[in-house]
Amino acid sequence: MLIFLIEELGEGTSLLRTVKKGDSIKLYGPYGNSFNTDVDEVALVGGGVGIAPMYYLAKKIKEKNPQAKVSLYIGLNGETQIDKLFLNLKNLGLDVKVKFGGYITDIIEFEKHKLVYACGPDPMMEKVALICKDKNIKSYVSLDKRMACGVGACLGCTVKTKNRNKRCCKDGPIFLGSDVYE
């Protein structure tokens, strides 16, 4: 079974919201890279629709290493139906903290972590990456750029990094936070 968390932003996501059980759709991918799931300790930070990949990532990390210490920080704009789904993450043995409104970075216990993964709105990921950089914590961010072709040909998803421009769909979407945000 596939479950989608969709933020309606345009024609494509509008169409996806109309799909009903039994309808068929074509999926392509996965493309690009992914977060490393072979870790012993990590803080996962998800904001908005970025909580969906963090939920999946937490499950994959715990499947690989049930003893892994995973802290999950979830930031939401307000009460939603999704919060009930994610609050059961404690059953996976995660340290889960949810913040409604404001900035998720206000509740992250950065001093407890050596590695942080983030996915969500760009301002949130930038703030996470800059705080991590300041505290000498390694961070990775999952960028959400418009990816027209998905195979690196059109260059529409180009990301400026400190080394050179990279394609989000092919070279990413996961980048070292300190390479993207200065």
Side-chain angles (χ1 to χ4, degrees):
M1 171 177 19
L2 275 173
I3 298 172
F4 291 94
L5 173 60
I6 299 169
E7 181 178 16
E8 199 170 329
L9 292 174
E11 187 177 338
T13 49
S14 264
L15 288 171
L16 278 175
R17 291 186 58 84
T18 66
V19 173
K20 293 176 183 33
K21 187 175 182 174
D23 290 350
S24 68
I25 58 174
K26 250 185 210 180
L27 298 175
Y28 297 95
Y31 296 117
N33 61 7
S34 60
F35 287 110
N36 179 12
T37 58
D38 191 21
V39 295
D40 294 324
E41 185 275 331
V42 66
L44 308 179
V45 182
V49 295
I51 61 177
M54 293 295 105
Y55 168 74
Y56 180 75
L57 179 59
K59 283 175 52 175
K60 290 298 168 188
I61 290 170
K62 290 303 255 183
E63 283 173 12
K64 211 171 224 189
N65 180 2
Q67 306 310 314
K69 183 176 181 251
V70 180
S71 298
L72 178 61
Y73 299 92
I74 297 172
L76 295 168
N77 282 335
E79 296 264 347
T80 65
Q81 293 178 350
I82 212 143
D83 61 311
K84 292 170 185 68
L85 173 65
F86 289 98
L87 289 177
N88 75 6
L89 285 170
K90 292 185 182 193
N91 297 336
L92 291 176
L94 308 177
D95 176 23
V96 180
K97 291 186 176 46
V98 180
K99 179 153 179 39
F100 294 99
Y103 299 103
I104 189 66
T105 50
D106 292 345
I107 67 165
I108 298 172
E109 301 169 283
F110 287 99
E111 64 283 349
K112 289 185 173 183
H113 307 290
K114 294 179 184 162
L115 178 63
V116 176
Y117 294 163
C119 184
D122 198 56
M124 178 206 82
M125 292 192 299
E126 180 177 15
K127 193 168 182 180
V128 167
L130 291 175
I131 292 170
C132 285
K133 186 176 175 182
D134 186 53
K135 295 181 178 292
N136 204 25
I137 301 166
K138 188 176 252 187
S139 71
Y140 289 88
V141 294
S142 178
L143 299 183
D144 183 17
K145 301 291 180 193
R146 282 191 173 258
M147 298 181 208
C149 73
V151 295
C154 75
L155 303 178
C157 63
T158 300
V159 175
K160 186 176 183 171
T161 72
K162 75 176 185 183
N163 299 317
R164 62 180 172 84
N165 287 343
K166 295 186 179 179
R167 299 160 296 178
C168 193
C169 69
K170 189 132 177 123
D171 302 315
I174 312 300
F175 293 95
L176 191 61
S178 59
D179 282 353
V180 178
Y181 303 107
E182 296 186 64

